[in-house]
Amino acid sequence: MKAGVTVPNITFHTRVRDESIEGPNPFRWQDMTSDDYFKGKRVVLFSLPGAFTPTCSTYQLPGYENGAADFAAEGIDEIYCMSVNDSFVMNAWARNQELENVKVIPDGAGEFTRLMGMLVDKSNIGFGARSWRYAAVINDGVVEAWFEEPGREDNHGEDPYGESAPETVLAWLKEAKEAVA
C-alpha cells in the first residue's frame, strides 16, 4: 500500500445500539460501506492484530483515544480502529476501553484487510488470518500517508510496534502541515 491509492470499496457488517429495541441486547445489524467511513473526510485508520490483545489494548488504542484532540487540531475528522474481528468483539472491546473518540470498524471476514494487502496468517499464535499492524491518513477515500510496521509476513515471530503508533502519525501530520504553511 502507498500514498495515492484509493481504499477498497466494501460493506462492513456492524451492530449498532438501537434504543427502540427492548431487552438486554438493544442492537441491530447495520451495513456500512467504505464510503460511509471515508468519503468526504480526512481520517486516521489504524489496524491491528486483535481486540483485547496486549499492545493494542495497552498502547495503540488508548494512545489514539487520548490524543484525539491533537489529531483534530491537525485536521483529522475521525479516528478509526480496525481489526479482523466481528462486530460483537469490536463493540465489546470499545465498551471495555471506554472509547469516546475512536470508532471501531469490524472487518470480521478480513475482506478490507485482504484488499489492502495486509492480511497475514498468525496461526503460530492461534489467531488465524489477521491484520498486520498499520496506520494510514486517508483523505476522501485516498491514502495520503501510510505507516506500516516492518517485517510483514505470515507467522511472524514478533509483533512490531512503532511505525503505526499515534505519536508517529501525529508527528507526520504536524510536519505535513508545516510544509504547506
Side-chain angles (χ1 to χ4, degrees), residues 46 57 85 87 112 139:
F46 65 101
S57 295
N85 290 117
S87 190
F112 185 90
N139 194 348

Side-chain angles (χ1 to χ4, degrees), residues 8-178:
N9 188 16
I10 70 152
T11 299
F12 299 92
H13 306 292
T14 71
R15 298 277 293 169
V16 296
R17 180 173 285 282
D18 184 338
E19 298 303 328
S20 71
I21 299 173
E22 295 183 17
N25 191 14
F27 290 85
R28 64 176 163 76
W29 287 104
Q30 179 173 318
D31 284 350
M32 299 283 289
T33 67
S34 297
D35 280 353
D36 293 325
Y37 288 115
F38 305 115
K39 188 173 183 178
K41 303 176 215 173
R42 188 174 187 223
V43 306
V44 169
L45 168 69
F46 65 101
S47 189
L48 37 81
F52 294 102
T53 56
T55 301
C56 308
S57 295
T58 305
Y59 302 107
Q60 196 168 23
L61 181 56
Y64 280 102
E65 173 70 14
N66 296 331
D70 295 328
F71 282 98
E74 300 303 324
I76 296 300
D77 299 309
E78 300 281 358
I79 302 172
Y80 298 124
C81 174
M82 181 181 290
S83 184
V84 180
N85 290 117
D86 62 56
S87 190
F88 296 100
V89 171
M90 292 301 282
N91 287 346
W93 190 36
R95 282 190 306 277
N96 175 268
Q97 292 284 307
E98 299 177 352
L99 296 183
E100 295 181 8
N101 304 305
V102 174
K103 296 177 181 172
V104 295
I105 302 176
D107 188 22
E111 183 180 4
F112 185 90
T113 302
R114 180 180 55 78
L115 292 171
M116 292 288 281
M118 299 305 289
L119 195 66
V120 294
D121 183 5
K122 294 183 85 55
S123 294
N124 62 320
I125 57 172
F127 280 10
R130 294 297 177 107
S131 179
W132 187 253
R133 194 182 301 278
Y134 70 90
V137 176
I138 300 171
N139 194 348
D140 196 24
V142 177
V143 175
E144 183 179 338
W146 184 255
F147 307 87
E148 180 179 327
E149 298 300 336
R152 177 172 42 100
E153 67 182 14
D154 287 343
N155 297 308
H156 195 288
E158 297 175 15
D159 181 20
Y161 176 65
E163 290 298 314
S164 63
E167 298 83 2
T168 304
V169 177
L170 189 59
W172 181 87
L173 286 165
K174 289 179 179 185
E175 288 175 19
K177 187 177 182 180
E178 289 174 10

